[in-house]
Amino acid sequence: MLTDPSNLTPIHDTAELGKILRTKRKAQNLTQGEVAEHCGLSLRFVSEVERGKPTAEIGKVLYLLTAVGVDLFADPRD
Amino acid sequence: MLTDPSNLTPIHDTAELGKILRTKRKAQNLTQGEVAEHCGLSLRFVSEVERGKPTAEIGKVLYLLTAVGVDLFADPRD
DNA sequence: AGAAAATGTTACTGATCGGGATAATTTGCT
DNA sequence: AGCAAATTATCCCGATCAGTAACATTTTCT
């Protein structure tokens, strides 16, 4: 079974990841503060991750992705 | 253009991510030490990430994924 | 212009990370 | 099975940095 992959965006670095987070958050009319509170994180953290902070803790970033509705997929290439 | 998504594994937490990293690394007959050196990271870091350390820095984890040949994709769901 | 949202700055707590060494575990070989 | 080598998991130490709160400043939108 094939799925339309047109919405799949490759993630190569934290800048791209942050961009996706921001875009998706705004698409839902959420503020950084709302997302932050929903995840138990600081507004500060959300702001920095959206700007591509490479030293952010990955566990918290995963919370953020879940909160704004972005699924993550790993694809082992050959 | 359609891509076969059959190898796409959803990532919900760091434990799953670590599992994928380890599986792919072994599939290429690489040791943690080899991967670590190739990324400029410590063997300890590689070990901890594969064990699902949630506080690892996301930028370094992305290096790891690249090094072992795992592509990451984001999918904004509705 | 005015309100809301995002970013800059500072200070403080606490944990990450690396190196090196050492257990513990797994792998390979006879 | 049993033993040795290789691989992986932990431990200690010190330096560095992430994360947060609070307030100031800037940007964005109506």
Side-chain angles (χ1 to χ4, degrees), chain B residues 25-45:
Chain B
R25 172 179 62 80
K26 288 190 172 179
Q28 308 188 178
N29 289 317
L30 295 174
T31 67
Q32 291 179 346
E34 289 169 333
V35 173
E37 171 148 14
H38 190 271
C39 297
L41 299 171
S42 69
L43 185 152
R44 200 181 92 197
F45 183 81

Side-chain angles (χ1 to χ4, degrees), chain A:
Chain A
M1 164 197 177
L2 292 181
T3 315
D4 183 0
S6 55
N7 293 329
L8 289 183
T9 306
I11 306 289
H12 300 109
D13 51 52
T14 52
E16 293 176 352
L17 188 60
K19 200 172 195 174
I20 290 174
L21 277 168
R22 175 164 296 183
T23 301
K24 191 67 198 304
R25 173 179 60 80
K26 288 190 172 179
Q28 307 188 182
N29 289 318
L30 295 173
T31 67
Q32 291 179 344
E34 287 169 335
V35 174
E37 173 151 13
H38 190 272
C39 296
L41 299 170
S42 68
L43 183 153
R44 214 32 208 248
F45 183 79
V46 177
S47 171
E48 289 175 339
V49 170
E50 286 188 355
R51 277 179 290 161
K53 187 181 198 182
T55 55
E57 296 182 3
I58 188 168
K60 293 177 180 171
V61 174
L62 290 182
Y63 290 158
L64 239 46
L65 287 165
T66 301
V68 302
V70 173
D71 289 326
L72 213 56
F73 293 94
D75 176 37
R77 60 181 135 77
D78 308 299

Side-chain angles (χ1 to χ4, degrees), chain B residues 3-55:
Chain B
T3 314
D4 183 1
S6 56
N7 292 330
L8 290 184
T9 306
I11 307 289
H12 301 108
D13 50 53
T14 51
E16 293 176 352
L17 188 58
K19 201 173 197 172
I20 291 174
L21 278 168
R22 175 164 298 184
T23 301
K24 191 69 200 301
R25 172 179 62 80
K26 288 190 172 179
Q28 308 188 178
N29 289 317
L30 295 174
T31 67
Q32 291 179 346
E34 289 169 333
V35 173
E37 171 148 14
H38 190 271
C39 297
L41 299 171
S42 69
L43 185 152
R44 200 181 92 197
F45 183 81
V46 177
S47 171
E48 289 178 336
V49 170
E50 285 188 357
R51 295 183 68 81
K53 186 180 200 183
T55 54

